[in-house]
Amino acid sequence: VFLKLITSIYNALIPILYTVVSGLLINELCEERNITKIVIYVMIITCTPLLTYFMNRQISKKIFKLNAALALEFKIDYFDRVLSMEYETMEIPEIQVKKMRASMALLNSTGIIDLLCRSVSSAFALITVVSIVSSLNPFILIFVSTILIINYFINKKNNNDQHNLNKERSLTDM
């Protein structure tokens, strides 16, 4: 859980890093033109994807091994319990339903951890996006919101027209 949480927070911070470093690079190119700072900013921008790739690859391998070990441990415990039951007890329909539910829960046990980590990462990314958007000029926000709303209605109308056209075609093909 800890590794997944660290990875999701790191991956949520990467776009912020690009935004901040790009702004610093532009400021440096426009104002002081300090070559040392420019090289540092360019190195950060170019090396971050490579570091992210290797870090995600190594952590993914470790997480996969931990997930496999955890799933194996759960399965061993589950089958030990099933094998310790009497045969007559296993024939009862309610027990079979509970056994089926337990096996389904066993398959989804590590998925809950993934969902939790993705939720934390999404919340963190949302907070950072809101903080960046809140620092923008209100007129820019109004302009972008208007464009998004207009785009939504245009796409909705196009999709409805396409759906109706496909529906008519399917009726004429019969």
Side-chain angles (χ1 to χ4, degrees):
V1 175
F2 181 72
L3 285 175
K4 285 190 176 206
L5 195 59
I6 294 295
T7 304
S8 24
I9 289 173
Y10 177 78
N11 288 333
L13 286 175
I14 292 299
I16 296 169
L17 177 75
Y18 288 145
T19 305
V20 170
V21 172
S22 297
L24 291 173
L25 180 63
I26 290 170
N27 284 342
E28 198 61 41
L29 288 171
C30 293
E31 294 173 2
E32 296 178 19
R33 295 185 183 155
N34 184 347
I35 195 71
T36 309
K37 288 183 180 179
I38 292 172
V39 169
I40 290 172
Y41 296 149
V42 169
M43 291 296 290
I44 290 172
I45 290 173
T46 56
C47 291
T48 302
L50 188 62
L51 292 173
T52 302
Y53 170 76
F54 285 120
M55 187 186 98
N56 284 340
R57 188 170 175 200
Q58 292 301 320
I59 289 178
S60 294
K61 284 181 184 179
K62 189 163 187 94
I63 288 172
F64 179 77
K65 288 178 184 177
L66 290 172
N67 279 344
L70 185 64
L72 181 63
E73 193 174 314
F74 284 160
K75 286 179 185 178
I76 288 172
D77 187 44
Y78 169 74
F79 285 117
D80 281 345
R81 292 190 188 278
V82 169
L83 290 174
S84 68
M85 294 173 66
E86 294 180 6
Y87 187 72
E88 293 83 25
T89 308
M90 289 177 48
E91 294 279 325
I92 300 172
E94 292 86 21
I95 299 295
Q96 290 178 356
V97 169
K98 288 182 181 181
K99 193 172 102 176
M100 182 70 82
R101 284 184 185 166
S103 66
M104 293 302 289
L106 189 74
L107 292 173
N108 296 326
S109 61
T110 57
I112 294 169
I113 296 170
D114 292 337
L115 182 64
L116 176 68
C117 289
R118 278 187 269 142
S119 299
V120 169
S121 174
S122 297
F124 191 73
L126 179 67
I127 289 169
T128 56
V129 167
V130 167
S131 67
I132 290 172
V133 167
S134 67
S135 67
L136 293 175
N137 188 337
F139 292 116
I140 293 174
L141 292 176
I142 292 171
F143 181 69
V144 169
S145 299
T146 306
I147 290 173
L148 287 174
I149 291 170
I150 291 170
N151 192 22
Y152 165 76
F153 284 117
I154 289 172
N155 283 333
K156 184 175 179 182
K157 176 143 179 42
N158 284 340
N159 288 339
N160 285 339
D161 291 346
Q162 186 67 35
H163 175 70
N164 290 336
L165 184 63
N166 289 341
K167 198 169 156 182
E168 289 175 12
R169 285 183 187 163
S170 67
L171 291 175
T172 58
D173 289 342
M174 290 183 175

